Amino acid sequence: MKVLIIEDAPTLAMTYKAYLSDIADDIIIAGTASAGMEAAYEHLPDVIVTDVNLPDMSGLEVLRTVKAEKLPIETVVVTGNGSINLAVEAMREGAFDFIVKPMSADRLRVTVRNAAERRILTKTVETIQDQFSDDRFCDFTGRSLPMQAVYQILRSAAHSKATVFVTGESGTGK
């Protein structure tokens, strides 16, 4: 798993890195939101852990940018000045979770691991949807569930040298 930490306090960034070092393969640290977004585009992490109060822009802006650009990244928002309104806003903007500082190592690990697992599940669902969202197959047209099943059977049989016997009622276009 690849994690991007956007935190302007170097000691906190190193602490978060130490917390996550046993569950993440690659941890990138950025001290500003703009540097963090550059790193996000370059490395495409699974999870971003961002502070709200950054020197150049809010961590919520990072969250909005990730959402607007449709980047396949889960975002965890961290702040030392947590309020219910800020937490609600972060969650509405698409944050995976909202954590108030100080936090335990376990809290951060569990949250980041869950965010990464959600990202994996989302990728899996998107892959399955792509496989079953055909509205055309060769010269066939149709998106209904029965037609999706037919397309899947055709894909399976197409690579085989086996003889295929098609049956059905008269007039169905076999």
Side-chain angles (χ1 to χ4, degrees):
M1 153 181 27
K2 192 181 296 186
V3 178
L4 169 60
I5 299 169
I6 306 175
E7 173 63 63
D8 59 328
T11 54
L12 284 176
M14 295 309 291
T15 301
Y16 299 162
K17 183 175 182 176
Y19 286 173
L20 299 173
S21 63
D22 59 336
I23 65 165
D25 304 322
D26 191 10
I27 301 173
I28 303 141
I29 296 176
T32 64
S34 57
M37 288 311 302
E38 284 179 30
Y41 290 120
E42 183 179 339
H43 300 284
L44 204 63
D46 300 300
V47 181
I48 293 176
V49 177
T50 183
D51 189 10
V52 171
N53 299 317
L54 296 166
D56 54 345
M57 75 171 92
S58 167
L60 294 179
E61 284 300 315
V62 170
L63 178 63
R64 289 182 192 110
T65 303
V66 167
K67 185 178 177 183
E69 297 287 328
K70 297 182 180 176
L71 297 174
I73 303 170
E74 294 295 335
T75 306
V76 176
V77 177
V78 179
T79 186
N81 304 322
S83 70
I84 295 195
N85 290 340
L86 186 58
V88 168
E89 182 180 359
M91 299 307 280
R92 280 188 182 152
E93 293 292 337
F96 176 79
D97 204 349
F98 183 86
I99 304 175
V100 178
K101 298 177 195 176
M103 73 193 98
S104 69
D106 287 337
R107 170 77 162 106
L108 184 60
R109 273 190 217 109
V110 167
T111 301
V112 169
R113 186 180 299 123
N114 288 344
E117 286 175 5
R118 179 176 172 184
R119 184 66 224 133
I120 291 167
L121 288 172
T122 302
K123 283 181 189 176
T124 303
V125 167
E126 289 169 354
T127 301
I128 291 170
Q129 284 177 336
D130 286 346
Q131 288 176 348
F132 291 100
S133 66
D134 293 343
D135 59 347
R136 297 190 61 79
F137 183 83
C138 295
D139 289 331
F140 296 104
T141 302
R143 335 178 69 134
S144 67
L145 197 54
M147 285 307 295
Q148 296 300 318
V150 169
Y151 299 158
Q152 195 63 29
I153 292 168
L154 291 172
R155 279 188 200 92
S156 298
H159 299 292
S160 169
K161 292 187 185 231
T163 302
V164 177
F165 182 64
V166 180
T167 63
E169 294 183 29
S170 179
T172 58
K174 297 180 293 297

